[in-house]
Amino acid sequence: MTREAVGTLTELAPGTAKKVVVDGLPIAVVRQSDGSVHALGDRCSHGDISLSEGFVEDDSIECWAHGSKFDLCTGVPRNFPAFEPVPVYTVTLDGDTIFVDTETGK
Ligand code: FES
């Protein structure tokens, strides 16, 4: 099991995302405006674009290249041109510290 600390809530403001690498996997760690934290594969399923550079909007993140929005809980795109999901990973918190578990990617 690879569970790794990837940062803190303090440094990840609501409505923002950042890229981390765990176990060699690029992962977008995203904090929703309600404060909850999610982790998705950091490569759009439509092209070689980093989703963490996109726009966090409620419970989705929008790829800046062509506008597909990915559900933060399921990784499923809600609109074209992307049509394949990106992996999602389990996030846990220990105090202020954010952990991502790469074994749970699906
Ligand atoms: S590269 Fe992301 S929607 Fe096209």
Side-chain angles (χ1 to χ4, degrees):
M1 173 172 145
T2 301
R3 178 176 179 263
E4 193 168 306
V6 295
T8 64
L9 290 174
T10 304
E11 65 191 18
L12 188 66
T16 65
K18 72 170 187 174
K19 178 179 183 173
V20 300
V21 176
V22 178
D23 228 9
L25 299 170
I27 294 174
V29 180
V30 185
R31 191 161 182 206
Q32 242 180 275
S33 54
D34 70 0
S36 60
V37 183
H38 304 271
L40 301 87
D42 192 38
R43 183 180 183 279
C44 180
S45 60
H46 180 245
D48 191 16
I49 298 293
S50 179
L51 287 180
S52 60
E53 296 173 0
F55 312 106
V56 181
E57 187 179 297
D58 297 326
D59 58 352
S60 69
I61 189 163
E62 178 180 341
C63 177
W64 61 263
H66 308 111
S68 285
K69 294 182 180 180
F70 293 82
D71 185 295
L72 295 177
C73 292
T74 65
V76 173
R78 293 180 174 161
N79 56 309
F80 293 119
F83 59 92
E84 293 179 349
V86 296
V88 292
Y89 303 95
T90 298
V91 172
T92 52
L93 300 175
D94 185 356
D96 191 48
T97 305
I98 303 165
F99 291 86
V100 170
D101 181 353
T102 58
E103 292 294 310
T104 57
K106 57 186 178 188

